[in-house]
Each structure stands twice: as structure tokens, then as C-alpha cells.
């Protein structure tokens, strides 16, 4: 039997993977590798991956056949910044959950966007802290039932993609795990856009979230994502009418010189002056 075209990017020896059946993290991994494949990369040697702690953080490490750092919860972006500063030639990609990236790591996210740091962050937003059993997260929808909001969430969720765009990122988009083709195209574009790229992928966690919200299966959650998404252009025409819907699409696409380029430019200028 012919080998699957994406197997060459995976450490098959560590399979089976850890994700629950129907977990959106697998779909995100698949879309990322499909994007890499379509861009023509023979392997992942031109990439470095970074992730914190959480289910989504397992996507690159240990499953991608690549150099990766799997570090503390919330601190993947500063670690990625270190890699990018010392190895600017690499494409540095961070994978993480909504808790990891927008919760405990939210401050790093904000400032990486402000600096326009040349990395891609893919935030798998399953709307809860999945790995630890489904506690409320900054991304949990208003009214949702979680282990720590048994009477319904009384907070409003952060619009992470919009915040990152406002903070200064070059490329920002939001999709769901239903929008696989558009997500693949978006990852391809993000990988080739100069500056900080951020893709939020609204995802399914049946185990720690869906069951509590009354869904019968992961597939039912994906249908819900399909039916409750709306193109961002439509959403903007009447946000009140579409309150509670998921605006999907590109939010920002303005390639600009990034932080690491500016750092190295300064180093070269100063060393030329002093020599
Ligand atoms: C500093 C620190 N605080 C808390 C934890 C416990 N912890 C591990 S994973 C996690 C949340 C994971 O949620 P998310 O980042 O959304 O990823 P998911 O599992 O949902 O994909 C937490 C709070 C930890 N490991 N380290
Ligand atoms: S707990 Fe949720 S996020 Fe974690 S692997 Fe299972 S389905 Fe995926
Ligand atoms: Mg999560």
C-alpha cells in the first residue's frame, strides 16, 4: 500500500496519538501538514515548533518529525522568540490551546503582535481548558456550562483574533475545524507573510466541553460550527444581529517588516560603525 503523503512529516514510531476521538486538534495538525505539503516542503527541516502545555500543545511535539520545544504552559511565544532571534532563517511555528495562548500566555501574545515578531501562532480554541478537565477559559462563550461554571459562564469571551490584529500583527485569520480547505489556504498564506501571523481555529473538544453542552457526538459539534459561523464581512454589517455567531475569514493581511529583522539590522549597523 502506498504511504500517505503526509507520513513523511510525522514520527510514526510514536503513534497512536493522544487525542480523543473527534478532537479538533487532529484536524488542525492535518491542515497544517497539508499546507506544508502543498507549499512543496520535502520535510520539516526549515521549521522549528514550539508549544506549551495542553492538548493542542501536543500537535507538533512529539508527533512532527522536526525540531521542537515543548515547554511551560503559557510560555511558548517567548521561547519561539528566542529561536527566531538566533535562527532567523527558520519558520518558527507555535501551536497552543486557547488557555495556553490567550489565557496564561495572553500577555506574550499581545506583545509578540505589537513587535510584529516573525512567527506563526496557531491557537486551537476549543473554548475550555481541555486537558485539565474542562474548566472555564477566557474564550468560553457567555452562558456556557463548564466544570467551573456549573450555572453558566457569566463572563464574555475574548475576541483573540481581533485583539491580535489591533495589537499590530501582519496576518490574522479565524476559521473553525469545519473550514478545512480555507484553513489550509490561510496557513499557506500566513507562512509566507512577513511579520507576526496568528490563526485562531475554533475547535471541538467533545470530552471536556461538548458533552457538558448537550452535544451527542463530535460530529454534531462540527455541524454546529458550520451552522454558527458567518463570514466576517457579513458579521461586520450587523454585529448585533449576529451576536453569538463565529465570524470567520481574514481579519488582517498587511505584510510588514518584523522585529527580528529590525534587531539584526541594528546589530549589523552598530558593528559596522564600531569596526
Ligand atoms: C503554570 C501552569 N499552570 C497551570 C497548569 C495546568 N494546566 C495544564 S494544561 C492547562 C490548560 C490547557 O488548556 P488549553 O491551553 O486551552 O489547551 P487544551 O488542553 O484545551 O487544548 C492547564 C491550566 C500548568 N501545567 N502549568
Ligand atoms: S480532552 Fe478535548 S482537547 Fe483534549 S484530546 Fe480530548 S477532545 Fe481533544
Ligand atoms: Mg483549550
Amino acid at each position: 500500500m502506498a504511504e500517505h503523503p503526509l507520513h513523511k512529516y510525522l514520527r510514526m514510531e510514536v503513534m497512536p496519538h493522544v487525542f480523543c476521538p473527534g478532537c479538533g486538534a487532529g484536524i488542525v495538525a492535518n491542515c497544517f501538514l497539508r499546507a506544508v505539503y502543498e507549499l512543496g516542503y520535502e520535510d520539516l527541516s526549515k521549521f522549528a515548533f514550539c508549544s506549551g502545555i495542553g492538548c493542542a500543545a501536543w500537535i507538533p511535539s512529539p508527533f512532527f518529525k522536526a525540531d521542537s520545544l515543548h515547554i511551560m504552559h503559557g510560555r511558548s511565544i517567548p521561547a519561539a522568540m528566542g529561536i527566531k532571534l538566533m535562527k532567523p532563517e527558520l519558520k518558527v511555528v507555535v501551536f497552543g490551546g486557547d488557555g495556553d495562548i490567550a489565557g496564561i500566555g495572553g500577555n506574550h501574545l499581545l506583545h509578540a503582535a505589537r513587535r510584529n515578531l516573525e512567527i506563526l501562532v496557531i491557537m486551537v480554541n476549543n473554548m475550555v481548558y481541555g486537558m485539565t478537565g474542562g474548566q472555564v477559559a477566557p474564550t468560553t462563550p457567555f452562558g456556557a456550562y463548564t466544570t467551573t461554571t456549573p450555572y453558566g459562564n457569566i463572563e464574555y469571551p475574548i475576541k483573540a483574533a481581533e485583539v491580535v490584529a489591533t495589537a499590530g500583527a501582519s496576518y490574522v485569520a479565524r476559521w473553525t475545524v469545519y473550514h478545512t480547505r480555507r484553513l489550509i489556504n490561510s496557513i499557506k498564506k500566513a507562512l509566507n507573510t512577513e511579520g507576526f501571523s496568528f490563526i485562531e481555529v475554533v475547535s471541538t473538544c467533545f470530552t471536556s466541553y461538548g458533552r457538558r453542552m448537550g452535544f451527542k457526538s463530535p460530529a454534531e459539534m462540527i455541524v454546529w460550527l458550520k451552522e454558527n459561523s458567518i463570514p466576517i464581512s457579513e458579521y461586520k454589517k450587523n454585529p448585533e444581529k449576529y451576536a453569538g455567531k463565529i465570524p470567520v475569514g481574514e481579519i488582517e493581511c498587511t505584510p510588514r517588516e518584523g522585529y527580528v529583522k529590525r534587531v539584526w539590522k541594528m546589530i549589523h549597523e552598530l558593528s559596522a560603525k564600531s569596526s
Side-chain angles (χ1 to χ4, degrees):
M1 201 171 72
E3 195 183 63
H4 189 281
L6 303 186
H7 276 187
K8 62 183 175 184
Y9 305 124
L10 290 167
R11 290 187 207 278
M12 296 309 289
E13 66 276 19
V14 296
M15 299 293 169
H17 60 71
V18 293
F19 304 119
C20 307
C23 177
I27 300 175
V28 177
N30 193 340
C31 288
F32 179 81
L33 294 178
R34 179 69 55 179
V36 165
Y37 178 74
E38 290 180 11
L39 286 172
Y41 289 97
E42 272 307 308
D43 56 34
L44 297 175
S45 58
K46 294 197 164 55
F47 289 82
F49 298 92
C50 217
S51 55
I53 303 298
C55 297
W58 283 87
I59 291 174
S61 157
F63 301 110
F64 288 1
K65 201 184 277 179
D67 289 332
S68 60
L69 267 182
H70 200 147
I71 60 153
M72 284 179 295
H73 186 46
R75 310 298 169 217
S76 50
I77 291 176
M81 181 166 162
I83 300 173
K84 187 70 189 177
L85 274 165
M86 293 318 293
K87 295 271 181 192
E89 68 280 11
L90 292 178
K91 293 216 178 273
V92 180
V93 182
V94 168
F95 282 89
D98 43 323
D100 200 21
I101 301 290
I104 190 170
N107 205 29
H108 302 305
L109 176 66
L110 204 60
H111 293 290
R114 176 180 65 80
R115 291 174 173 132
N116 206 26
L117 177 69
E118 302 94 321
I119 62 171
L120 164 61
V121 176
I122 299 182
M123 184 180 91
V124 184
N125 176 8
N126 58 10
M127 299 174 266
V128 282
Y129 294 157
M131 176 176 268
T132 44
Q135 295 83 1
V136 71
T139 43
T140 305
F142 186 85
Y145 298 104
T146 71
T147 47
T148 47
T149 56
Y151 308 109
N153 183 22
I154 56 168
E155 297 179 15
Y156 294 100
I158 188 167
K159 295 175 182 170
E162 285 79 0
V163 169
V164 170
T166 305
S170 276
Y171 183 85
V172 181
R174 180 189 292 110
W175 301 105
T176 79
V177 290
Y178 167 74
H179 300 91
T180 50
R181 185 66 253 172
R182 277 167 275 190
L183 175 58
I184 294 166
N185 291 344
S186 193
I187 293 169
K188 286 162 73 177
K189 200 163 171 183
L191 284 172
N192 284 323
T193 299
E194 187 173 5
F196 187 70
S197 294
F198 179 77
I199 302 178
E200 175 179 350
V201 191
V202 184
S203 184
T204 49
C205 171
F206 181 67
T207 307
S208 295
Y209 182 67
R211 288 182 303 156
R212 242 167 241 119
M213 290 298 287
F215 288 100
K216 300 277 183 294
S217 67
E220 207 180 275
M221 292 184 81
I222 293 187
V223 172
W224 186 90
L225 289 176
K226 175 188 171 196
E227 290 173 352
N228 284 278
S229 302
I230 177 162
I232 225 147
S233 49
E234 275 305 298
Y235 177 85
K236 277 185 181 163
K237 286 180 198 163
N238 198 341
E240 278 174 20
K241 179 177 167 194
Y242 299 121
K245 297 280 181 201
I246 305 165
V248 292
E250 256 179 26
I251 294 167
E252 185 68 61
C253 185
T254 317
R256 275 178 298 110
E257 187 179 64
Y259 175 78
V260 170
K261 211 175 193 179
R262 294 195 298 271
V263 168
W264 280 103
K265 207 192 266 179
M266 185 189 278
I267 291 171
H268 290 312
E269 280 169 11
L270 291 175
S271 45
K273 267 187 207 161
S274 62
S275 58

